Amino acid sequence: MSVSDFMTKNLVIVAPDTPIFDAIDLMKQHDIHRLPVLQQDKLVGLITEGIIQEAMPSKATSLSVYEANYLLNKTTVGDVMEKNVLTIAPDALLEDAIYKMRENKIAVLPVVEKEAVKGIITNNDIFAAFLKITGYNDGGTRISLQIADDHVGILAEITKLLAEHDFSILTIVVNRMELATIVEIQVQSRNVEKVKEVLTEAGYLVTAAVLTNTHNM
């Protein structure tokens, strides 16, 4: 899965000379929390709700309301925007974006290819990607197996068994730990007990069996 699979492509952007209040109105209008700042089609900064809040006069200021508003009316996006913006390429792995965001404690990465802004990926996009990759939105039964005897072909054996019982596999996640391997499989069926029974009778240790996305049932 690459960044381009989950990034937001229809961008709302501003220019450096955009008044702060106009940027705020754009965020409210589109229900978003950050805006890429472009000049001559090139990324020159990023403006977020947090940056704008920091630019607002604090309650402890000696300025009057009228003075504060006057200063803000004179303030542009370019005056307060973050100029050292971290970016990522559209063909980068989704995991690369997650790692970069976590390491730098940020919630957004503009997606740039050859200086052209192709999109933006945020923590909300990452959450949506996780739900899609795990198959949560499709619903079904999630089975966790603890595999003590991990060996080449173990996944083929499990998938063959499920296919023989007409269970359609949606996702498979393998977590190889120090003492055991955990295999999580989501199948399309909502017959939890039947799926569990098939795997248990075949000698697999089922540690969990639950329905996913139950709110859409």
Side-chain angles (χ1 to χ4, degrees):
M1 296 287 183
S2 67
V3 169
S4 62
D5 294 324
F6 298 100
M7 68 184 186
T8 299
K9 298 177 182 178
N10 298 322
L11 292 180
V12 180
I13 62 172
V14 289
D17 59 357
T18 302
I20 279 289
F21 283 132
D22 288 353
I24 294 172
D25 287 341
L26 272 175
M27 290 185 190
K28 289 180 179 178
Q29 180 183 343
H30 296 276
D31 192 23
I32 53 180
H33 308 287
R34 68 277 295 180
L35 296 166
V37 186
L38 271 63
Q39 189 171 42
Q40 296 180 346
D41 295 327
K42 290 184 179 180
L43 183 72
V44 293
L46 185 73
I47 188 79
T48 69
E49 283 184 344
I51 291 173
I52 292 174
Q53 287 173 0
E54 289 179 4
M56 295 287 188
S58 69
K59 292 181 179 179
T61 183
S62 60
L63 295 176
S64 69
V65 173
Y66 300 105
E67 290 172 324
N69 282 335
Y70 174 80
L71 286 177
L72 285 174
N73 278 322
K74 294 291 186 179
T75 302
T76 66
V77 166
D79 294 328
V80 298
M81 70 182 183
E82 174 60 52
K83 296 177 182 177
N84 298 318
V85 183
L86 293 176
T87 64
I88 196 159
D91 59 354
L93 293 175
L94 185 64
E95 298 95 304
D96 291 335
I98 296 171
Y99 180 82
K100 201 167 191 176
M101 291 164 74
R102 279 179 55 84
E103 284 296 298
N104 293 281
K105 297 180 175 60
I106 55 178
V108 57
L109 285 171
V111 184
V112 178
E113 184 178 42
K114 296 179 179 178
E115 297 190 347
V117 180
K118 299 295 184 180
I120 196 168
I121 190 158
T122 69
N123 49 2
N124 283 338
D125 295 321
I126 299 295
F127 295 147
F130 177 78
L131 292 177
K132 182 176 179 61
I133 291 170
T134 59
Y136 179 83
N137 293 330
D138 298 319
T141 297
R142 178 79 54 78
I143 295 285
S144 294
L145 307 176
Q146 182 173 310
I147 310 294
D149 178 26
D150 192 0
H151 57 272
V152 175
I154 184 68
L155 288 181
E157 295 168 9
I158 297 172
T159 56
K160 182 174 182 292
L161 174 66
L162 292 172
E164 288 172 348
H165 289 81
D166 295 323
F167 291 124
S168 178
I169 298 173
L170 296 172
T171 62
I172 299 178
V173 176
V174 180
N175 184 12
R176 288 187 166 86
M177 305 171 70
E178 186 175 347
L179 299 178
T181 295
I182 305 299
V183 177
E184 287 199 351
I185 302 174
Q186 183 160 316
V187 297
Q188 205 165 28
S189 171
R190 288 191 173 274
N191 191 340
V192 177
E193 291 305 317
K194 181 60 179 177
V195 180
K196 184 177 179 180
E197 178 186 317
V198 166
L199 290 164
T200 302
E201 289 184 353
Y204 295 104
L205 176 58
V206 177
T207 58
V210 296
L211 288 175
T212 65
N213 200 5
T214 55
H215 60 270
N216 282 340
M217 293 177 61

